[in-house]
Amino acid sequence: MRILAAGVPFFVSQTWAPATLQVLAEDAQPASAMNPMNSGAAGQETSANPPVEKPMPPAPNSPVMMVDEVVPPAVPQETPTSPTPTSPAPDQTVAKASDAKQPPKQPEPKPQSADQPAESKKSEPAKKPAPPKPAPTKPAAPPKPVDKPFLSPTGVDLKKGAIRVEDAGPDFALQGEYMAWDWSAEKGWHWLGIQVVATGDGTFEALAYPGGLPGNGVAARATMPIGTPQIKADSELLPTLWQGSGKATPEGLLITFNQPSEGRKFVTKDGQTGQLFKGDGALISQAVKWSRKSQREGAQPPANAVVLFDGTDNGQLKNLKISPEGLMQIGSETKGAWQNFHLHAEFKTPFMPFAKGQARANSGFYLQKRYEVQVLDSFGLIPQFNDAAAIYRNKMPDLNMSFPPLSWQTYDIQFQAPLFDEQGTKIQNGRLTVWHNGIVVQNHVSLENKTGGGTKEGPEALPILFQNHGNPVEFRNLWLVELSPQVLQASTTPPVPTCLPVVATPNACVSTTPCCPPTKHRRPARCRR
């Protein structure tokens, strides 16, 4: 079923607005398919798993769609109700392969000298010559243990980042987005979206969203305030979310959430399917991994667009570096200068599990080399003022729409430059709207000033810079459409009254202008007695 998600003001240009205003969503799964208690979904009816008569919630609607139709696994016939999932202990009974193949060592015979008889008689003891003392040598230093958990099995340094899935290592297979059904007395059956984030060396953090994933069932509550650097997990501005953590073992990954009051546990063994438990170990439902993509991915430029990069050097960018796969590398900038425009861009962040904060796949779009829209691996994080899709250090996104690293993501950025008078004084701020993976996360935000390291504000147009921050972020499908300049908006504050010259009248001989103090003037002749 295809559902029209109305109310998405995508583009301004009249030549291509009608097509893009109709943003469609795919219902990735029918409600019955994900119902863990529905015998039709499980394909079986038993007394241990009776069908549930209560209707299940419909699949969420969103401009973000699934890559493939994923069918969840059938619920097992015998549902565990008592054992609590715990972190499995490592197997200590398995011997090393090298030790198993080594035969037991036999005692070596003592060396004998050439003059010594093979067997000495007890009655005729012979004196053994003292063996020559070996020259003293310096003992060899023991080899240093090699412990490099940041290297993937293919030898890629994950501290610097992997740009291919095959180089990402085993933690990457467990990281990602999962969907399950959860139950509460207040809501009944409802979606639970889970985002699992690898943090290096088998450790993980996670967020769970009652209602679904951001953009698929979960939306922003309110517009984030400008200039607020930090938002806590329980902020009323955020959707309801739970925080969790865990560690992978050879048997799988266990994530423990301390919310709701009875707790939740999520277990996955293969990174594709999983199970959701209550804190006491009672099974709630099966879970399945979701692979999402933006419907703006692969968007074709309209006829009036300027194609900046299409996999080849078409002369629009300087300092251009292209990978063997035809992807643009960091550090390029446009040769042309742009004033008002709509920019479409697609980017992919590397997998950097050991990095934190601003060191985790950092780049950015510097509009006019003045205002930065941040690029960062912010998947599974509470949004902050310097995370992905933020107007850097100015305003955090209204919703964190980041996909996992090594996924292609989209930005659609509508920028309108500030207005200046003839003397070069700014009389109106610039405006910025950002769609991240098809969802509006910055809505017509007023740009109070430039980004910290940006060029000083001014009326002249400047290029767009794709920031080089040292992390291997890659770009593709970059194009731009010029827009009309923004219109000077009428001031909403009443004008300050000016001091008018005093005019003597028969009934008033003093100034009554509000901003000026009353000033006595000499009466004209007609005012005199």
Side-chain angles (χ1 to χ4, degrees):
M1 180 175 63
R2 303 178 65 86
I3 300 178
L4 178 64
V8 183
F10 226 88
F11 293 106
V12 175
S13 175
Q14 293 297 323
T15 60
W16 47 295
T20 54
L21 284 174
Q22 298 181 358
V23 182
L24 299 178
E26 294 289 345
D27 283 350
Q29 311 227 0
S32 61
M34 283 291 290
N35 184 352
M37 304 300 292
N38 192 320
S39 61
Q44 54 190 358
E45 292 188 12
T46 64
S47 59
N49 186 25
V52 176
E53 301 299 335
K54 296 181 180 180
M56 305 304 292
N61 305 323
S62 168
V64 183
M65 67 180 182
M66 295 285 296
V67 175
D68 301 309
E69 297 284 344
V70 182
V71 179
V75 180
Q77 183 172 355
E78 295 182 0
T79 304
T81 57
S82 58
T84 302
T86 57
S87 298
D91 190 357
Q92 300 177 356
T93 62
V94 180
K96 295 183 179 178
S98 59
D99 295 341
K101 296 180 181 180
Q102 294 290 341
K105 294 184 178 180
Q106 300 294 334
E108 298 180 358
K110 297 181 180 180
Q112 297 179 347
S113 63
D115 299 334
Q116 184 179 358
E119 294 183 1
S120 300
K121 295 181 179 180
K122 296 182 180 181
S123 58
E124 296 179 359
K127 294 183 179 180
K128 296 180 181 180
K133 294 182 180 180
T137 58
K138 187 176 181 180
K144 295 182 179 179
V146 179
D147 183 16
K148 294 183 178 180
F150 50 87
L151 292 182
S152 73
T154 58
V156 172
D157 188 350
L158 296 180
K159 286 188 175 181
K160 296 181 179 179
I163 60 175
R164 301 188 308 169
V165 173
E166 51 267 32
D167 295 328
D171 287 1
F172 178 79
L174 299 175
Q175 173 175 280
E177 297 183 313
Y178 299 82
M179 286 286 278
W181 286 101
D182 194 17
W183 167 264
S184 69
E186 296 80 12
K187 299 180 180 179
W189 288 107
H190 57 276
W191 288 108
L192 182 69
I194 303 173
Q195 295 182 329
V196 178
V197 183
T199 54
D201 198 16
T203 61
F204 292 82
E205 295 179 354
L207 293 180
Y209 290 88
L213 292 167
N216 279 111
V218 169
R221 284 191 180 181
T223 299
M224 292 293 181
I226 294 177
T228 303
Q230 300 292 327
I231 293 289
K232 296 183 179 179
D234 58 352
S235 171
E236 62 181 8
L237 299 173
L238 291 173
T240 303
L241 55 87
W242 310 333
Q243 293 177 290
S245 61
K247 187 172 180 62
T249 69
E251 283 74 19
L253 170 65
L254 168 67
I255 297 290
T256 301
F257 297 96
N258 55 7
Q259 291 176 294
S261 57
E262 64 269 22
R264 290 291 185 272
K265 295 179 185 293
F266 169 73
V267 177
T268 180
K269 294 183 178 181
D270 57 4
Q272 294 299 319
T273 59
Q275 293 176 313
L276 181 68
F277 294 85
K278 288 185 178 181
D280 60 3
L283 178 64
I284 300 175
S285 70
Q286 305 292 322
V288 65
K289 198 169 196 176
W290 274 35
S291 297
R292 299 193 293 169
K293 64 178 291 185
S294 168
Q295 285 206 351
R296 294 296 299 162
E297 182 180 331
Q300 295 301 308
N304 60 336
V306 177
V307 177
L308 301 177
F309 181 74
D310 59 359
T312 61
D313 186 356
N314 60 1
Q316 292 290 337
L317 301 172
K318 66 179 182 179
N319 303 325
L320 176 61
K321 297 179 181 179
I322 305 177
S323 72
E325 294 77 20
L327 304 176
M328 189 184 85
Q329 307 298 294
I330 50 179
S332 299
E333 67 176 82
T334 61
K335 292 181 178 179
W338 310 98
Q339 194 74 298
N340 304 278
F341 54 84
H342 187 109
L343 173 67
H344 174 83
E346 301 177 14
F347 64 94
K348 181 176 65 175
T349 59
F351 179 59
M352 305 179 68
F354 291 91
K356 306 292 182 183
Q358 297 299 294
R360 196 175 175 104
N362 194 325
S363 184
F365 295 85
Y366 258 94
L367 314 177
Q368 288 193 339
K369 302 180 77 171
R370 294 183 173 111
Y371 315 96
E372 182 185 6
V373 178
Q374 174 77 316
V375 171
L376 200 71
D377 177 12
S378 300
F379 169 67
L381 302 180
I382 299 170
Q384 306 298 344
F385 76 147
N386 52 9
D387 281 352
I391 304 172
Y392 185 67
R393 300 187 70 84
N394 187 349
K395 182 183 177 299
M396 64 187 67
D398 296 339
L399 187 67
N400 183 1
M401 278 303 305
S402 294
F403 288 168
L406 301 185
S407 303
W408 282 106
Q409 306 187 56
T410 64
Y411 276 173
D412 285 279
I413 301 172
Q414 180 178 297
F415 172 78
Q416 290 192 299
L419 300 180
F420 294 82
D421 61 16
E422 295 180 355
Q423 290 73 34
T425 302
K426 186 170 69 171
I427 57 177
Q428 184 167 299
N429 290 335
R431 291 283 180 174
L432 188 64
T433 301
V434 178
W435 290 261
H436 187 187
N437 290 325
I439 304 297
V440 177
V441 296
Q442 305 283 3
N443 190 5
H444 203 56
V445 178
S446 176
L447 299 172
E448 304 296 331
N449 203 346
K450 68 179 183 67
T451 300
T455 304
K456 182 180 178 181
E457 286 188 307
E460 69 280 1
L462 291 177
I464 302 170
L465 172 66
F466 305 95
Q467 185 189 33
N468 181 351
H469 207 279
N471 300 144
V473 179
E474 297 178 315
F475 305 86
R476 71 180 186 187
N477 193 21
L478 306 175
W479 48 264
L480 176 149
V481 175
E482 291 191 85
L483 302 177
S484 301
Q486 64 173 332
V487 179
L488 182 64
Q489 297 177 353
S491 176
T492 57
T493 57
V496 178
T498 58
C499 296
L500 302 176
V502 176
V503 178
T505 63
N507 300 321
C509 296
V510 295
S511 172
T512 57
T513 306
C515 67
C516 303
T519 304
K520 293 184 179 181
H521 297 275
R522 188 171 182 178
R523 295 181 179 181
R526 69 178 67 182
C527 294
R528 297 175 185 174
R529 291 182 179 179

